[in-house]
């Protein structure tokens, strides 16, 4: 048994979690839209073709904001082809995912779906094959009340009121060679600024995210952020970050350490953004939009998925089957995001259904929760409030994280990895403190003592853990509940002392009521 000491104080606050931190992502990719959220003819479909079984799971998962329509897809997308009478919408070759896009689902349907699910929409404009003109027209169609051809077209299409979409992404992963219309930092910085200018003239109430690097592994990482922000600093509110954790090397301790690289990534991007501000002597702070994050590797390099034969509609691509250890690494990523709540103001789990997703469906059949569903539901439902600065004293290990997609070095050295990764959230509204705890030790439990200053008495309100004797266990159509949370009893709170015993390789969430 390892021993750990965790301390925090009511007044030592990292930041308040923004509602938008708990978002996800719906891309026209594989069966995320078609056969995922939208399947007319499915036994549970409503009059709009929205699957109600999926909607129920989405409500349980509780994402707050939803990015759409891509991803790589958006860089070749013509939004006009996804609005208006459905029977007149064209079928197009989607070069991003080598599929046919039927355009039966488009922006208006997406907005309706978001409203139904009580989720804020986040839209991305195409700065790959198109540019500022398309971006301002898309925005005008969505947000302008009436009296112009485009706003009246929306009304004619049946959406009288403006969609009032506030959060817009200026393209997607424009630094990536795979992206349609990929650009250098200078080229992107210029076009993003010009798009931002005409978009904010069209609707000054919007907020904009410029593309950061599509991963910390990119050879242009760092310089990309600096140059892009030198151009866009005055026009945008956010810069984006993307990360997909992997276990290519089949090295579980390293995999579970890898969320710590997200901590470094966030802190580095903050430093770069603030250096751009400093050079301008500006008090403005660019916030971070971590608008793609997840675990993704089994279906990432698999050519069978990306380069399928023919041009199918809604193919079964990127249908990653998540196991127990993926859920643990994923939980670590949730903790990394929470612990940077001062600067990461938006986040999107990529993605929502079927394609690298917490929810799986069978077309025409049932829907079920993947293992990663559980830590995300905890994160979103219980992670709202003030994130407290935690002091964690626990044994550490060191590791080398293998990432075959890195260009220069195959390994990231992570020298000091605490076996316990923690986040503590104080909700003044609910009068609670919630702990998110990841025990990364594969064979040892952790005996933890807690010292919480400034809260009076802590009384356990609820606690559960996610673990499985087999780290490769997963949920399937046949066994949808193989991996699911169970009550956690090994917590004692008496006479102001709190202690608990965490199981090896486990994700535990404990919520306490506080007396002040
Ligand atoms: O989420 C899957 C893909 O990963 C997205 O389309 C792209 O932006 C990223 O490379």
């Amino acid at each position: 048994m390892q021993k750990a000491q965790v301390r925090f104080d009511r007044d030592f606050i990292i930041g308040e979690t923004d509602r938008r931190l708990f978002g996800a992502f719906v891309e026209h990719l594989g069966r995320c839209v078609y056969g995922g959220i939208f399947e007319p003819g499915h036994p549970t479909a409503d009059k709009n073709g929205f699957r109600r079984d999926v909607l129920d799971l989405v409500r349980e998962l509780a994402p707050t904001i939803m990015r759409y329509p891509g991803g790589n897809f958006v860089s070749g997308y013509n939004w006009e082809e996804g609005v208006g009478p459905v029977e007149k919408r064209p079928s197009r070759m989607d070069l991003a995912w080598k599929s046919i896009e039927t355009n039966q689902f488009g922006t208006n349907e997406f907005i309706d779906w978001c409203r139904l699910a009580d989720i804020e929409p986040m839209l991305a404009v195409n700065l790959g094959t198109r540019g500022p003109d398309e971006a301002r027209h898309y925005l005008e169609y969505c947000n302008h009340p009436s009296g112009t051809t485009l706003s009246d077209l929306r009304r004619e299409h049946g959406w009288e009121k403006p969609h009032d979409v506030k959060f817009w992404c200026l393209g997607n992963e424009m630094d990536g060679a795979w992206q349609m219309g990929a650009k250098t930092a200078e080229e992107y910085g210029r076009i993003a600024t010009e798009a931002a200018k005409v978009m904010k003239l069209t609707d000054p109430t919007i907020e904009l995210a410029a593309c950061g690097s599509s991963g910390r592994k990119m050879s242009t990482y760092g310089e990309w952020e600096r140059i892009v922000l030198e151009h866009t600093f005055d026009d945008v509110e956010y810069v984006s970050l993307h990360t997909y954790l992997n276990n290519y090397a089949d090295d579980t301790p390293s995999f579970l350490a890898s969320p710590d690289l997200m901590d470094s990534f966030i802190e580095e991007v903050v430093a770069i953004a603030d250096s751009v501000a400093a050079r301008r002597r500006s008090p403005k702070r660019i916030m971070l939009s971590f608008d793609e994050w997840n675990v993704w590797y089994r279906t990432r390099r698999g050519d069978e998925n990306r380069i399928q034969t023919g041009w199918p509609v809604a193919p079964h691509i990127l249908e990653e089957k998540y196991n127990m250890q993926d859920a643990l690494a994923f939980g670590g990523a949730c903790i990394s995001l929470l612990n940077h709540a001062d600067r990461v103001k938006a986040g999107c789990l990529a993605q929502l259904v079927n394609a690298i997703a917490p929810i799986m469906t069978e077309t025409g059949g049932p829907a079920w929760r993947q293992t990663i569903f559980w830590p995300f539901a905890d994160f979103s439902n219980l992670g709202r409030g003030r994130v407290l600065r935690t002091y964690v004293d626990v044994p550490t290990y060191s590791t080398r994280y293998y990432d075959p997609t890195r260009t220069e070095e195959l390994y990231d050295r992570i020298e000091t990895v605490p076996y316990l990764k923690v986040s503590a959230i104080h909700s003044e509204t609910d009068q609670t403190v919630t702990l998110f705890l990841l025990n990364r030790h594969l064979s040892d439990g952790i005996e933890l003592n807690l010292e919480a200053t400034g809260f009076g008495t802590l009384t356990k309100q609820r606690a559960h853990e996610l673990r499985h004797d087999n780290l490769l266990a997963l949920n399937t159509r046949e066994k949808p509940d193989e991996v699911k949370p169970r009550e956690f009893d090994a917590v004692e709170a008496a006479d102001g002392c709190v202690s608990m015993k965490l199981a090896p390789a486990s994700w535990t969430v404990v919520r306490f009521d506080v007396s002040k």
Side-chain angles (χ1 to χ4, degrees), residues 31 51 53-54 57 319 321 352-354 357-363 365-371 373 474-481:
R31 295 189 309 123
R51 278 183 68 152
D53 59 343
V54 172
L57 290 177
E319 297 198 359
K321 294 183 178 61
L352 185 69
V353 191
N354 291 326
I359 299 171
M360 282 298 284
T361 71
E362 190 178 86
T363 305
W368 63 96
R369 303 169 190 83
Q370 294 235 56
T371 60
F373 182 99
L474 37 87
N475 295 339
T476 59
R477 181 195 192 282
E478 291 70 32
K479 282 189 167 180
D481 293 326

Side-chain angles (χ1 to χ4, degrees), residues 25 27 29 71-72 97 172-173 178 244 292 296 350-351 356:
F25 180 23
E27 176 167 0
L29 192 187
N72 296 337
W97 301 109
N172 176 68
E173 296 191 345
W178 58 89
Y244 292 100
E292 283 188 34
W296 177 22
Q351 301 195 2
I356 44 172

Side-chain angles (χ1 to χ4, degrees), residues 250-262:
D250 198 14
D251 171 357
T252 303
S254 299
F255 181 39
L256 299 187
S258 66
D260 295 14
L261 294 171
M262 281 174 68

